[in-house]
Amino acid sequence: FSGTFEAFFDGTDWSERDPEQPFFAHVHFHETHRTFEHDPEHPIEPEDVEIPPYYPDHHITRLDWALYLETTQILDKKVGRILQRLEDEGLDDDTVVFFTGDHGRPMVRGKQWLYEGGIHIPLIVRWPGELEAGTIREDLVSAIDLAPTWMGVAGIKPPDYLQGRDFLARDPVARKYIFASRDRCDETDDRIRCVRSKRYKYIRNFYPERPYTYFNAYKKHQYPVLTLLEVLNTRGELTPEEAQFMAELRPVEELYDLQNDPHEVRTLADEPAYQETLKEFRNELDNWICRTEDQGQIPEDPEIAAQWDRQMAEYFRENMTGKGLSPDISDEKYLQWWENRLIAMQMGV
């Protein structure tokens, strides 16, 4: 590709279009990526936050989650301004609005992982005259369904080669399963695949000999709860649910009943009563890998891995130095730095 990003678009704002010309606007917000922001208009008390059972119920966890939720509130206000502008310009009744995210929450065991915290993203659609406000649908929808759905709204027949489905079609084709994958994330080499139905999720770890938390510069730089887990694990102070993600090895297969175990803390892969379910999902994943010619089957060029290792090592050195810290700081001292920093952020400093 030799053009510019702007070459794909007719302008940078829908006000640049011709009178009455239909438009497609893709508006991006940085929130709720890190670094989180304090919302002075509606601060959230850390003690009021509900913490998932796989995180330590610790004041550092609560501070981090409170700031995450405050950042979400800031995002809500920005989305509200977009909706208000549509109304002010008389466009609200004939404009379809989709609100979604590109990945799960930026937390340990969330973003870049295939648990619900990583792949369950928001999806809200506002379509006056077509969709009743407040309607909740339980369809299995994947992000690859967005493009064909947008085309369907515009009256365009999606091409057959698209894997996605128009989930707002008059007679949408229901999904029985959705699939998700993880490969390289920055300098962290990995290969994980999952199949999810409405009730069950199957995860296959292709590198079970590796720990969940082998070093990732971005996460070590940005996630205070990661260092908290490492410190408490060293001290032997984690509950069994909290300690799972600190294991040195992973199971080859994981199977979760999302109805009875929404936090995915009890794998059923070795339970005799679930062997038929395990076989069903195992076969579905094998078929998907063949059907899509999954590129994870192809070994990566070692030089690519080496390049990422060098790049992220430099990233970590620069960012830790930018904090006034040594890249070799102990976890205990780093945790104390995080505590002080989160308290300051909560105060808006």
Side-chain angles (χ1 to χ4, degrees):
F1 174 65
S2 59
T4 62
F5 181 75
E6 290 78 7
F8 286 105
F9 302 93
D10 297 324
T12 58
D13 190 281
W14 65 72
S15 63
E16 300 175 26
R17 76 194 194 285
D18 294 333
E20 304 304 320
Q21 179 185 3
F23 67 93
F24 177 88
H26 207 171
V27 183
H28 296 258
F29 297 101
H30 179 266
E31 297 86 3
T32 55
H33 289 78
R34 293 177 182 264
T35 300
F36 297 150
E37 302 175 55
H38 170 59
D39 181 7
E41 296 181 3
H42 299 285
I44 294 176
E45 295 299 328
E47 58 266 27
D48 295 335
V49 174
E50 183 177 345
I51 302 297
Y54 45 78
Y55 292 143
D57 190 354
H58 189 280
H59 63 284
I60 287 180
T61 312
R62 292 183 168 276
L63 283 166
D64 192 44
W65 270 71
L67 285 165
Y68 169 58
L69 296 175
E70 290 186 27
T71 305
T72 304
Q73 293 177 163
I74 293 172
L75 171 62
D76 287 344
K77 297 172 191 176
K78 291 186 175 183
V79 173
R81 289 198 288 269
I82 293 290
L83 297 176
Q84 186 61 54
R85 180 182 165 190
L86 289 171
E87 181 178 341
D88 293 344
E89 296 179 9
L91 298 170
D92 53 317
D93 285 340
D94 58 359
T95 300
V96 186
V97 178
F98 288 76
F99 173 82
T100 188
D102 59 339
H103 51 64
R105 57 188 178 232
M107 297 281 188
V108 174
R109 207 177 182 266
K111 174 183 175 181
Q112 299 184 347
W113 293 95
L114 304 187
Y115 302 106
E116 291 297 277
I119 66 172
H120 188 186
I121 62 175
L123 175 60
I124 304 173
V125 184
R126 180 184 182 275
W127 191 354
E130 293 289 338
L131 298 178
E132 183 178 352
T135 301
I136 298 175
R137 286 173 42 173
E138 302 293 340
D139 313 38
L140 287 176
V141 175
S142 177
I144 62 173
D145 297 329
L146 289 171
T149 302
W150 294 336
M151 297 175 76
V153 169
I156 302 170
K157 184 180 184 302
D160 293 337
Y161 57 77
L162 288 182
Q163 295 179 30
R165 305 175 182 184
D166 179 356
F167 59 82
L168 294 182
R170 295 300 179 188
D171 297 303
V173 179
R175 288 184 178 277
K176 186 176 181 181
Y177 309 101
I178 58 170
F179 301 85
S181 62
R182 166 184 168 146
D183 290 289
R184 165 177 300 285
C185 293
D186 305 316
E187 82 279 31
T188 307
D189 306 320
D190 216 332
R191 186 185 177 203
I192 312 175
R193 301 291 182 264
C194 92
V195 186
R196 188 200 194 281
S197 68
K198 287 189 175 182
R199 178 165 182 176
Y200 294 102
K201 179 187 287 178
Y202 168 79
I203 296 176
R204 185 181 300 173
N205 294 296
F206 286 82
Y207 297 129
E209 72 280 5
R210 300 177 183 178
Y212 293 99
T213 56
Y214 60 110
F215 188 79
N216 179 279
Y218 160 73
K219 293 184 176 69
K220 188 64 175 177
H221 161 54
Q222 289 277 21
Y223 290 12
V225 175
L226 174 58
T227 298
L228 173 64
L229 281 164
E230 290 169 335
V231 168
L232 296 183
N233 188 54
T234 299
R235 296 176 184 172
E237 297 178 3
L238 295 177
T239 67
E241 291 80 10
E242 296 161 3
Q244 286 179 8
F245 205 67
M246 304 307 295
E248 290 298 317
L249 303 174
R250 310 180 212 173
V252 174
E253 297 176 303
E254 302 172 56
L255 179 67
Y256 298 101
D257 180 345
L258 301 176
Q259 178 177 301
N260 295 310
D261 179 23
H263 293 294
E264 299 162 290
V265 295
R266 182 189 169 213
T267 178
L268 305 172
D270 294 328
E271 298 280 345
Y274 291 90
Q275 291 309 296
E276 285 302 312
T277 302
L278 182 69
K279 182 179 178 181
E280 171 193 345
F281 280 76
R282 182 188 291 153
N283 290 339
E284 287 296 330
L285 181 59
D286 288 340
N287 291 336
W288 179 85
I289 289 173
C290 294
R291 185 171 68 250
T292 62
E293 299 181 1
D294 182 4
Q295 297 299 291
Q297 302 173 94
I298 302 173
E300 189 176 48
D301 184 339
E303 180 50 37
I304 294 177
Q307 178 182 340
W308 273 106
D309 288 345
R310 292 190 297 268
Q311 179 178 326
M312 296 308 295
E314 181 60 26
Y315 164 92
F316 188 67
R317 284 193 297 271
E318 290 180 356
N319 281 281
M320 293 298 283
T321 302
K323 292 177 177 179
L325 302 174
S326 166
D328 300 320
I329 188 172
S330 70
D331 285 339
E332 293 276 359
K333 290 182 178 179
Y334 193 23
L335 191 62
Q336 184 60 58
W337 181 91
W338 267 121
E339 182 173 14
N340 296 337
R341 178 61 188 139
L342 289 169
I343 291 172
M345 291 172 66
Q346 186 192 32
M347 297 171 63
V349 178

